[in-house]
Amino acid sequence: RSPRGVKATPEAQALLPEIVRFISRAQELEFAVKQVQNGHRALITIASVHEAMLSWVPKFRKKLQSEEASFSVFAKEIDSGDIADELRQNPAALAIGYIPEPQNSPWGKLVLTREAPVVVASRDHWLGRCKAASLSSLCEEKWVFPGRDISVRYVDRLTALCIDHGFSPLVRHEVSSTMQQIAYASCGQGLALVPEFFASLLPDSVVAVRLTDVEPCIELSMVWDETTPNAVRDRAIEIARSVSS
């Protein structure tokens, strides 16, 4: 503590991730107790990126509860880069994120959506007058990318996509979420390369530009730990397959 306020010690900073995980687990347990009290006999945890919580998870939850009325869903937000830790701590959970391939892992995988990226630009950018452009034509532009600590393989996939089209992206800012990418693009700080889903969520200050030379390549996937049998989770996966098909 100082006249400038309260600041965590290095020891507290080191413990912070564990504290956050403990609080998250406590919230999940509290939710489970309430669901049992309300007559639900099974709980499935879905740890998901923000995008899926806005789109796929609500559809899945509705389908699950229509077929298994005694099942309850506990949903929480995570980054794609946190999925491995989540499944280690809770092997009965389902996790959703941008995961190109669960390499050398015991994960099962279900691709929920496959979409092309779009470019988000401020309206006063020259792209603001375009409905479509080629990625290769944007080789001189500055970019706002997600940080590699959010999801190494996802960011590497975006970088490889640019390289495949003739340039290495000049990254002006690295941010912690797709919505922050859009916010920076809105302020003229660079272009954002984001999943097509976000075209429906954009503010008036930006436009989404379709890429004419890029095929659908961004996969939103559900993964789970196949080494831990769990009848409730496996039934949820069965229902998830019908939602994603």
Side-chain angles (χ1 to χ4, degrees), residues 144-145 173-186 192 194 198:
V144 182
F145 264 38
H173 297 285
E174 290 188 358
V175 296
S176 60
S177 71
T178 305
M179 294 307 295
Q180 283 190 346
Q181 283 183 268
I182 295 170
Y184 274 68
S186 178
V194 306
F198 283 92

Side-chain angles (χ1 to χ4, degrees), residues 100-112:
E101 279 300 330
Q103 299 173 348
N104 303 318
S105 77
W107 296 351
K109 178 180 176 182
L110 173 64
V111 176
L112 305 178

Side-chain angles (χ1 to χ4, degrees), residues 156-223:
D156 286 350
R157 180 70 187 90
L158 295 181
T159 302
L161 185 64
C162 293
I163 292 173
D164 289 344
H165 287 77
F167 68 97
S168 179
L170 178 58
V171 178
R172 187 174 185 180
H173 297 285
E174 290 188 358
V175 296
S176 60
S177 71
T178 305
M179 294 307 295
Q180 283 190 346
Q181 283 183 268
I182 295 170
Y184 274 68
S186 178
C187 295
Q189 298 301 296
L191 302 180
L193 195 60
V194 306
E196 189 176 16
F197 166 75
F198 283 92
S200 63
L201 301 177
L202 297 179
D204 292 338
S205 55
V206 294
V207 296
V209 180
R210 180 175 57 86
L211 294 170
T212 58
D213 54 350
V214 176
E215 297 294 324
C217 59
I218 297 179
E219 292 182 350
L220 181 67
S221 302
M222 172 185 288
V223 293

Side-chain angles (χ1 to χ4, degrees), residues 134-149:
S134 66
L135 181 58
S136 57
S137 70
L138 306 178
C139 58
E140 300 296 329
E141 298 292 336
K142 295 181 175 64
W143 296 87
V144 182
F145 264 38
R148 295 184 81 251
D149 58 325

